[in-house]
Amino acid sequence: MKRTSWLLLAIFWVGASVAQAQSQATLVLNDAQAHQTISRYIYGMFSEHLGRDIYDGIWVGKQSSIPNKDGIRLDVVEALKRIHVPVMRWPGGCFADEYHWKDGVGDPAQRPKTINTNWGGVTETNAFGTHEFLEFCRLVGCDPYIAGNVGSGTVQEMSEWVEYLNSNQESSITDWRRRNGQDSAWKVPFWGVGNESWGCGGNMTPEYYADLYRRYASFCKNYPGAPLKKIASGPNGNDLHWMEVLLQDIPHWMMWGISLHYYTVPTGNWSHKGSATQFGEDEYFSTLKRALFMDRILHDQEALMNRYDPQKRLALVVDEWGVWTDVEPGTNPAFLYQQNSLRDALVAASTLNIFNQHCDRVRMANLAQTVNVLQSVILTHGAQMLLTPTYWVFDLYQVHQDARLVPLQLLAPYYVFGNDSLPAVNASASIDSTGALHISLVNIDPAHTIPVKMSFAGSMNWKFAGGQLLTSAHVNDCNTFEHPDLVHPVSFSDVRQTGDIWTVNMPAKSVVVLTLKK
């Protein structure tokens, strides 16, 4: 590092003991040390047979007047293509452990109807099954991630599903696939062995699940050209005991990764989670506090994983995350339909910054869920479709996919509410394949603009090449079918450079993504 860079660092951190009581943040980026890759799979999605995520959201049927390709609605496909969704998890969720894949292949008119006992006891027509899901992934341009049934399924059932999808050899199973219209294997890489096995996936103990995993995984075979990346059903939140049992009892070569689920419940009370749009600053603050707790969870879980896997061969897969509120008034409580506000966008941006910072271990994440369920990126109503504030975060942050993480040091002022406080600013940065530097900043303070004083410990030759801002007048602003563009990104240029110091004036309750080039 150059002498001038060390001098800048020293100047920046003098007086650090009082900086957080002041009104500005300081950010030092070490762009010369950008070595670790941020996996594109961190920006994944999750779609479950739940409410209107699949039916009405993704699948409208071939006879629908809504523009579709073989029943898959094209406006949703195009929206997901624009943000380069890299991976889609399906069919659940809790539904995965009651889903029997053979019910969803073959002539749709002959497919059996079943009951979705997890989500409202509604009829599952099985119109959207394996072929339809994989065609959806092909249209979007993303990798499929299949969650297999351990809770109520059999080893043979999952083994044959892998064969059906991944083998080109001749067998009764692959002949059936060919008769159903797919000649060549899809070669699906990602397979979850069960879902939430500690809960809706079977209410198992970790010891029992670890034994089951070994058995199921043994018969999920690698076919030529289709090696599997098997993912064990990991802990609920920060359950370190569950994680440790899996690390101890499952040979590491049998896993590509271990999942983790964590939801942000605004009130912390699952019986009364809080409204998606009607909330005061108390619930706003508690939501952000619970969302930022993701960093502590990842720190603790990674420390445990590092004890058993110091080479970091195993991935941590956060394949369910997001804000979970009470449903919208007048909607089916089992369908988990909720609006999506600027508050949710700030949660999403802050969480993605956390994932980026933990990219040495976090190599996949899947937002719950894609359309019409929980913190979705898209809402539909008949032929109408809108993009939520969370969608626009994924749009802005796609620049980080497969880019190199830039280490940074951030000292932020506090956002104070009552007797509690949170760092008001969070950030992550990366350098993409063209050499452009992208810096994503979040100001969670709902009332104050915060200047961010930024410098570099590496190159001093960066030039401002553009910026985007996502904010709105109120933290509970959301896009509706009457006003679908209330919250959307706009150009941002409140950036100035004085010598080696850059000043970025972050508006209150905002997300800013900057691009710098040499």
Side-chain angles (χ1 to χ4, degrees):
M1 186 183 294
K2 296 178 181 177
R3 180 179 177 83
T4 54
S5 299
W6 280 114
L7 223 72
L8 275 170
L9 279 171
I11 292 169
F12 259 64
W13 300 113
V14 165
S17 61
V18 298
Q20 286 187 301
Q22 299 174 351
S23 59
Q24 71 178 30
T26 55
L27 175 66
V28 178
L29 298 110
N30 194 345
D31 49 306
Q33 297 299 316
H35 303 308
Q36 185 72 43
T37 298
I38 300 171
S39 170
R40 67 184 183 276
Y41 294 122
I42 284 174
Y43 292 84
M45 296 286 160
F46 164 42
S47 290
E48 183 171 8
H49 289 243
L50 192 174
R52 296 189 302 113
D53 191 340
I54 299 297
Y55 300 111
D56 289 347
I58 292 170
W59 176 263
V60 292
K62 297 179 182 181
Q63 306 306 316
S64 175
S65 61
I66 298 171
N68 69 86
K69 171 70 166 65
D70 295 328
I72 298 167
R73 62 183 297 164
L74 290 175
D75 52 356
V76 169
V77 166
E78 290 304 314
L80 296 176
K81 284 173 66 176
R82 283 200 300 271
I83 58 174
H84 294 96
V85 172
V87 63
M88 183 70 65
R89 181 174 180 251
W90 173 86
C94 294
F95 181 78
D97 281 296
E98 68 173 0
Y99 182 66
H100 300 283
W101 70 271
K102 292 180 183 180
D103 292 343
V105 298
D107 181 358
Q110 301 301 316
R111 296 179 189 178
K113 292 180 172 63
T114 56
I115 299 173
N116 187 334
T117 63
N118 279 288
W119 303 115
V122 297
T123 298
E124 168 58 58
T125 67
N126 285 303
F128 188 90
T130 296
H131 287 253
E132 291 78 16
F133 171 65
L134 292 168
E135 175 63 8
F136 171 63
C137 290
R138 187 190 70 80
L139 292 172
V140 171
C142 65
D143 285 339
Y145 168 15
I146 300 284
N149 182 348
V150 170
S152 69
T154 67
V155 172
Q156 180 179 354
E157 181 181 28
M158 191 183 298
S159 176
E160 289 180 344
W161 203 4
V162 174
E163 181 183 345
Y164 188 90
L165 268 60
N166 286 6
S167 176
N168 277 318
Q169 296 161 273
E170 185 176 350
S171 71
S172 296
I173 291 291
T174 58
D175 286 347
W176 188 28
R177 182 193 70 221
R178 294 183 183 98
R179 291 196 302 273
N180 289 333
Q182 180 67 24
D183 184 58
S184 60
W186 287 283
K187 298 184 178 179
V188 174
F190 297 110
W191 288 81
V193 182
N195 166 78
E196 293 189 0
S197 299
W198 39 263
C200 65
N203 289 298
M204 304 175 195
T205 64
E207 293 81 5
Y208 179 74
Y209 171 73
D211 285 344
L212 268 188
Y213 177 92
R214 291 160 66 121
R215 182 168 173 240
Y216 274 76
S218 294
F219 292 93
C220 292
K221 303 295 186 179
N222 292 324
Y223 290 96
L228 299 186
K229 295 180 177 179
K230 288 172 274 195
I231 299 166
S233 177
N236 176 20
N238 208 15
D239 184 343
L240 292 168
H241 174 65
W242 186 282
M243 174 65 82
E244 187 160 30
V245 171
L246 267 54
L247 291 168
Q248 289 175 331
D249 291 2
I250 301 174
H252 292 184
W253 61 265
M254 296 185 77
M255 301 181 286
W256 177 78
I258 300 174
S259 73
L260 182 149
H261 292 179
Y262 177 69
Y263 285 98
T264 297
V265 176
T267 65
N269 182 345
W270 282 93
S271 298
H272 303 284
K273 295 178 282 292
S275 169
T277 56
Q278 302 301 312
F279 54 85
E281 190 174 357
D282 55 344
E283 279 190 26
Y284 171 79
F285 183 91
S286 66
T287 302
L288 270 297
K289 182 176 181 178
R290 294 175 196 283
L292 293 173
F293 187 65
M294 178 71 82
D295 189 56
R296 168 51 56 186
I297 292 174
L298 297 182
H299 179 274
D300 292 349
Q301 295 289 337
E302 289 170 11
L304 181 59
M305 294 180 78
N306 291 344
R307 282 173 45 199
Y308 291 91
D309 176 35
Q311 293 78 28
K312 299 189 177 183
R313 193 192 65 81
L314 292 173
L316 186 56
V317 179
V318 188
D319 55 16
E320 289 189 31
W321 68 273
V323 176
W324 192 326
T325 69
D326 294 330
V327 301
E328 291 304 296
T331 66
N332 189 325
F335 282 11
L336 306 188
Y337 177 78
Q338 63 190 50
Q339 249 295 356
N340 194 294
S341 70
L342 177 64
R343 175 185 69 173
D344 302 303
L346 297 172
V347 167
S350 299
T351 302
L352 290 171
N353 280 341
I354 291 169
F355 290 160
N356 288 348
Q357 297 286 10
H358 288 266
C359 68
D360 59 337
R361 183 66 83 172
V362 177
R363 295 174 206 148
M364 186 193 290
N366 306 79
L367 177 71
Q369 295 189 15
T370 311
V371 190
N372 294 328
V373 173
L374 299 177
Q375 192 180 346
S376 51
V377 294
I378 295 170
L379 300 179
T380 66
H381 179 70
Q384 293 178 285
M385 184 199 77
L386 67 79
L387 308 175
T388 69
T390 296
Y391 176 92
W392 292 117
V393 170
F394 277 80
D395 182 47
L396 296 177
Y397 274 51
Q398 64 180 295
V399 293
H400 292 305
Q401 292 189 24
D402 284 341
R404 291 177 291 121
L405 178 72
V406 174
L408 57 80
Q409 292 175 294
L410 172 65
L411 189 66
Y414 287 120
Y415 161 39
V416 178
F417 180 77
N419 295 321
D420 207 348
S421 62
L422 295 168
V425 177
N426 62 78
S428 66
S430 67
I431 296 175
D432 69 20
S433 60
T434 71
L437 171 65
H438 305 283
I439 305 165
S440 50
L441 298 159
V442 183
N443 177 8
I444 66 171
D445 190 312
H448 299 102
T449 295
I450 297 179
V452 179
K453 300 291 184 178
M454 189 170 70
S455 70
F456 297 90
S459 173
M460 301 297 169
N461 300 320
W462 295 106
K463 294 179 176 61
F464 180 66
Q468 292 284 303
L469 166 70
L470 184 67
T471 189
S472 194
H474 309 98
V475 291
N476 60 347
D477 282 350
C478 58
N479 294 332
T480 66
F481 293 104
E482 294 74 28
H483 303 285
D485 298 315
L486 179 63
V487 186
H488 68 278
V490 296
S491 179
F492 178 81
S493 59
D494 196 352
V495 180
R496 70 178 185 273
Q497 183 180 5
T498 305
D500 293 329
I501 306 298
W502 298 64
T503 301
V504 183
N505 289 309
M506 285 285 297
K509 56 189 182 307
S510 72
V511 180
V512 168
V513 176
L514 305 174
T515 297
L516 279 62
K517 295 182 179 179
K518 292 183 178 179

